[in-house]
Amino acid sequence: MKLSHFNFNLPKELLAEFPAENRDESRLMVIDRKKNTIEHKMFKDVINYFDDGDVLILNNTKVFPARLYGNKEKTGARIEVFLLRELNSEQRLWDVLVDPARKIRIGNKLYFGDDDSLVAEVIDNTTSRGRTLRFLYDGSYEEFRNKLTELGETPIPKYINREVTAEDAERYQTIYAKEEGAVAAPTAGLHFSKHLLKKLEIKGVNFAEVTLHVGLGTFNPVEVEDLSKHKMDSEELIITQEACDIVNEGKAKKKRICAVGTTSMRAIESSVSSANTLNPYEGWTNKFIFPPHDFSIANCMITNFHTPKSTLLMMISAFCGHDLMKKAYDEAIKEGYKFYSYGDAMLIL
């Protein structure tokens, strides 16, 4: 498959600027791969597709307020700094993206906060927009992290052309988020309300939690026509023995194993045993899933609607089947489904 197979015209008005009023009341498209059918539901109807002993695999990563605005020394130019990952906690070194990048060179200092209480020095260039910063701060490490949280804002995607609101801090986070480290939300999980999770639990559905700290690599554009030549950025991944036991027991009993989101799917596909069971894992993954791909663990998945030519769309094509995926996306556009992070959802059976 080539990059051009994943292009389609997406009307701008279908990019969701705001989340649905209630988490579980976004729309849900249900695709049955065996029957080749498409149904239109509400997200809370997802409960009707799961029974006692089925497993939902949730990515419990937590988004941190990764977007900061600082001023360049001397010129005072406003610079956006997007925190990607911490490289060294003792030296307070971070991988970041800066915008506008052309103004930021090694040796420059950036000042944050009304009182300039946080300063950063540029010590390396990593990519065209990437820099390594050393933060200079007088307090303890805990106080430094609190300062980042205080000065940072919720990193809603750039396509959302509006100011960040207080509501975003809550809604751009799953209700089961625990492990801080993501710079983007695992968005399929945003549709679950406490009430819906409780009802699934009462029904006997089991939850296996994995942690994949979503980085911006997930959203990096693919710039090669030959997909096998695209390299994904690495993201940190933790799969516990407890999660493996829940998933493998469900698999042994031939239950429904549902990956909630492309990040959960990438997590579990990164650590498969020779017997096609899930293995514990702690490390990094740069797994890129595109057609054709044999999925080893999950037999269904929940996902949002993705943008043209994205790596996420390629994974959906591999799981759903390319022709059925295209048919579903044509239908979604015709029916006015909302796309991307705050958009509607799809259940692929």
Side-chain angles (χ1 to χ4, degrees):
M1 307 249 5
K2 301 271 194 283
L3 177 62
S4 45
H5 290 135
F6 298 93
N7 202 10
F8 63 92
N9 285 325
L10 177 58
K12 257 206 159 56
E13 64 271 17
L14 295 186
L15 285 170
E17 290 266 321
F18 291 93
E21 193 173 339
N22 297 309
R23 284 181 186 268
D24 56 14
E25 288 181 353
S26 49
R27 295 167 75 188
L28 178 71
M29 180 184 279
V30 182
I31 298 176
D32 190 313
R33 294 177 293 173
K34 283 200 181 81
K35 297 179 187 162
N36 209 33
T37 56
I38 295 172
E39 291 181 287
H40 304 289
K41 304 282 184 182
M42 295 284 279
F43 192 80
K44 57 188 173 190
D45 298 328
V46 84
I47 192 159
N48 300 325
Y49 297 90
F50 294 96
D51 281 310
D52 186 31
D54 289 341
V55 179
L56 288 180
I57 301 169
L58 310 175
N59 181 6
N60 67 10
T61 188
K62 188 174 184 180
V63 180
F64 67 93
R67 190 174 275 130
L68 304 171
Y69 291 96
N71 297 100
K72 190 179 166 190
E73 63 179 338
K74 293 181 186 149
T75 67
R78 181 172 146 102
I79 305 293
E80 179 191 309
V81 172
F82 196 101
L83 301 173
L84 290 179
R85 62 175 71 101
E86 188 174 46
L87 300 173
N88 184 310
S89 57
E90 275 176 41
Q91 294 183 34
R92 296 177 190 173
L93 295 182
W94 281 76
D95 246 348
V96 306
L97 296 176
V98 292
D99 190 21
R102 59 190 156 68
K103 295 184 173 179
I104 303 302
R105 298 191 171 89
I106 293 171
N108 287 161
K109 283 199 170 75
L110 300 171
Y111 293 84
F112 302 90
D114 295 337
D115 54 356
D116 296 342
S117 54
L118 182 64
V119 183
E121 184 179 7
V122 182
I123 62 168
D124 199 8
N125 296 331
T126 51
T127 60
S128 58
R129 285 181 56 214
R131 301 289 184 272
T132 303
L133 296 189
R134 177 186 286 118
F135 283 98
L136 312 168
Y137 185 72
D138 282 342
S140 66
Y141 178 71
E142 191 182 348
E143 288 167 330
F144 163 64
R145 288 305 296 248
N146 289 341
K147 193 69 178 171
L148 288 183
T149 301
E150 176 199 319
L151 293 172
E153 69 176 33
T154 305
I156 59 172
K158 277 281 198 193
Y159 80 87
I160 297 180
N161 198 11
R162 60 170 173 81
E163 290 292 310
V164 173
T165 66
E167 185 194 27
D168 289 314
E170 183 216 341
R171 292 299 301 274
Y172 196 62
Q173 196 82 270
T174 63
I175 58 163
Y176 47 79
K178 287 192 189 87
E179 306 294 335
E180 192 171 83
V183 300
T187 52
L190 298 179
H191 302 284
F192 286 92
S193 62
K194 285 196 170 95
H195 184 61
L196 180 57
L197 279 182
K198 195 74 201 160
K199 282 170 77 175
L200 284 160
E201 192 185 321
I202 290 165
K203 211 172 175 186
V205 174
N206 295 315
F207 304 108
E209 294 188 11
V210 297
T211 306
L212 181 88
H213 289 317
V214 190
L216 284 185
T218 300
F219 310 100
N220 275 353
V222 179
E223 290 170 337
V224 286
E225 183 65 8
D226 178 354
L227 300 185
S228 65
K229 293 192 164 50
H230 177 69
K231 294 280 181 285
M232 290 283 278
D233 277 4
S234 291
E235 294 168 318
E236 196 173 0
L237 170 62
I238 299 158
I239 302 174
T240 62
Q241 184 64 56
E242 183 189 0
C244 294
D245 292 344
I246 294 166
V247 169
N248 293 334
E249 185 185 349
K251 231 183 149 240
K253 291 179 176 171
K254 305 220 168 345
K255 296 292 184 181
R256 217 161 235 180
I257 311 293
C258 183
V260 176
T262 55
T263 62
S264 296
M265 184 67 89
R266 196 157 74 255
I268 58 178
E269 286 293 306
S270 296
S271 189
V272 179
S273 75
S274 54
N276 278 356
T277 55
L278 186 60
N279 275 346
Y281 187 86
E282 190 162 344
W284 296 78
T285 178
N286 63 352
K287 191 160 191 70
F288 174 32
I289 298 172
F290 60 95
H293 181 84
D294 288 329
F295 290 83
S296 305
I297 306 292
N299 50 25
C300 69
M301 80 180 290
I302 293 168
T303 186
N304 278 22
F305 288 90
H306 306 294
T307 46
K309 295 184 174 178
S310 60
T311 58
L312 311 170
L313 185 63
M314 292 160 193
M315 182 194 291
I316 302 314
S317 163
F319 190 75
C320 187
H322 194 69
D323 292 341
L324 184 55
M325 184 270 296
K326 282 193 77 162
K327 182 179 157 191
Y329 268 61
D330 288 344
E331 179 106 349
I333 290 167
K334 192 177 99 206
E335 294 290 330
Y337 275 75
K338 293 289 191 185
F339 278 65
Y340 213 44
S341 302
Y342 275 151
D344 294 313
M346 175 189 272
L347 170 63
I348 307 170
L349 300 171

